[in-house]
Amino acid sequence: MRYLLLFTLLAYLLSGCNSPSAPEHAEVVTADVLTPRNTAITRENAYNDLFLDTAALENFITKRQLNDSVANRLRSFYNARNYQFAWIDSRGLTEEAAAFRSLFNQSPDTTGDKPLNNKLDRLLEEDTLHAKASDPDMIQTELMLTWRLVRYFRKNGGTVEQMEHMVPMQKEDMMEMADSMLHTSEKQYPAIAGLKPALRQYRDIVKNGGWKPVDSSARSIKKGQSSPVIIAVKQRLATTGELKEKDSSDVFTDELEAAVNRFRNGHGYSENGVINDTVISALNVPAEERLKQLLINMQRMKWLPATPQGKLIVVNIPAFMLHVTNDGKKVFDMPIVVGKEGHSTTMFSGKLNQVVFSPYWNIPRSIVRKEILPAMSRNSGYLARKNMEITGHVNGLPVVRQRPGARNALGRVKFLFPNSFNIYFHDTPEKSLFNRDNRAYSHGCIRLKDPVSMARFILEDSPQWTDEKIDAAMNGGKQKYVAVKHPVPVIITYFTAWADEEGALHLVRDVYGHDAVMKQKMF
């Protein structure tokens, strides 16, 4: 059941609760209670690698004329982390900054925060940023985000301790973190509940020594064959529960095929019943690494935003899946193709407000420079063959677009939801991509397997957009913008571990390397 709804994600998203969740009457503690400074946090064990000067915080409080209650919440927040930056490290904005921005954007009132959002947009566009703790611009951004967090908690409820722990403070022992997460209140963080059984299971497996690696030199093995490798595979799958029956033979049985398919499904591979090098590589990921993967994703789940009732589109990038719901009920799931890279796209949100039929593809300048110009130099007829045209020049570089048509890279329709990453949904003429297990391909937007179903869903509030009219617009060859009557919330997420609606665990590849960064910081 590979394409089931992400239970831990959407059960929380559709609950209508605020995030971070809190007891009904919880509120921020009064200003005269200060969290003591945690001097046990050092540069060696800190979660982030930049530290703030205490004078910078006091100057910020004075300049902003913050009242004692707010000022002391800021002081407590940084005391708890020994004045370590929360939102910025030496590489720029952290994953938590992007997650909090997504969470905050779901709030009904964001008045007065446009300048900060514009600043975040600029920072998120920087792929190779090297931040310094002494940079006044970085200090200002850091403190503005924390002030925003204080205001968010004061408005939505939540304890001081919860607020201070939204961003991890220091590296921790993996097993101690697992025990702590198992005791973390699900009332505070409902989204983590679905992964707690798996966390408990993998913690116990690690305590018992993990599992033995399977011989990686084995070739493809199928049902009916015999091999010494099969014995090791059976032992490994019995450890994590995919193989239900006790069997120590070297024969590839029907039961083993079912277990292999359960494993393949849970790790993002097609269920063809074959043990190959890909499966063995996944089997041989150490139990300790899988436990860390669970903890990283549970930490991410703390930032899941509140969601309005009505229509909702949720994308999980590592799962290569899109989920559509209406009033909490599943409408459809859809396979997608994502970009090869997404440096900051761990979590963000927007509202789908425009459908563009028979779109032009306005080719990004980077692609023109790196791909189009070299192709033009090799073949003078390249643009005509690709149905492209030059519409002008900017700073010596041609402005190129691809005309609507069957070969257009965006296919027959695209769906816009304004966001700082310039990501949108679109059709594609390359339908074979959806047959792949790994669907991180090419440039950064999200390709839909069934754009017709998406168009019908988005425009169903507009009766004039019948199936016939949608088909005609998609194949008309003339670009047409259609405003969506009721814009649909879109949430882009990045979870490499989740439990589906049947409670089955999924552990998939870290396609953008975000887990790897988090692992270095958390453990």
Side-chain angles (χ1 to χ4, degrees), residues 364-376:
R365 291 172 59 82
S366 60
I367 298 176
V368 171
R369 184 171 53 253
K370 295 176 183 178
E371 300 179 25
I372 304 298
L373 289 181
M376 290 171 60

Side-chain angles (χ1 to χ4, degrees), residues 36 137 139 167 290 463 507-508 520 523:
D137 196 31
I139 294 171
V167 182
R290 292 302 189 191
L507 297 165
V508 298
Q520 291 178 349
F523 305 104

Side-chain angles (χ1 to χ4, degrees), residues 315-380:
V315 169
N316 186 19
I317 290 172
F320 308 121
M321 288 297 295
L322 174 150
H323 310 278
V324 175
T325 60
N326 194 359
D327 286 334
K329 297 179 180 179
K330 181 168 74 171
V331 180
F332 57 81
D333 296 338
M334 186 184 300
I336 59 173
V337 173
V338 303
K340 285 183 180 178
E341 296 180 348
H343 296 287
S344 301
T345 50
T346 51
M347 189 178 293
F348 67 92
S349 56
K351 289 196 173 181
L352 200 161
N353 59 8
Q354 288 190 89
V355 180
V356 186
F357 291 110
S358 298
Y360 282 97
W361 179 35
N362 298 303
I363 303 173
R365 291 172 59 82
S366 60
I367 298 176
V368 171
R369 184 171 53 253
K370 295 176 183 178
E371 300 179 25
I372 304 298
L373 289 181
M376 290 171 60
S377 67
R378 293 190 300 267
N379 181 355
S380 60

Side-chain angles (χ1 to χ4, degrees), residues 367-442:
I367 298 176
V368 171
R369 184 171 53 253
K370 295 176 183 178
E371 300 179 25
I372 304 298
L373 289 181
M376 290 171 60
S377 67
R378 293 190 300 267
N379 181 355
S380 60
Y382 176 82
L383 291 184
R385 184 163 57 86
K386 294 291 186 179
N387 199 27
M388 295 177 179
E389 60 185 1
I390 295 175
T391 61
H393 289 78
V394 175
N395 296 328
L397 195 67
V399 178
V400 184
R401 69 180 183 180
Q402 189 176 38
R403 300 182 187 93
R407 292 180 294 169
N408 187 284
L410 303 185
R412 300 166 296 162
V413 62
K414 67 179 179 179
F415 305 86
L416 305 181
F417 48 101
N419 59 83
S420 59
F421 302 98
N422 195 28
I423 288 176
Y424 49 88
F425 301 144
H426 65 87
D427 182 21
T428 177
E430 299 181 76
K431 302 299 183 183
S432 63
L433 294 175
F434 296 101
N435 297 326
R436 301 181 180 184
D437 287 336
N438 181 3
R439 296 195 294 275
Y441 178 83
S442 190

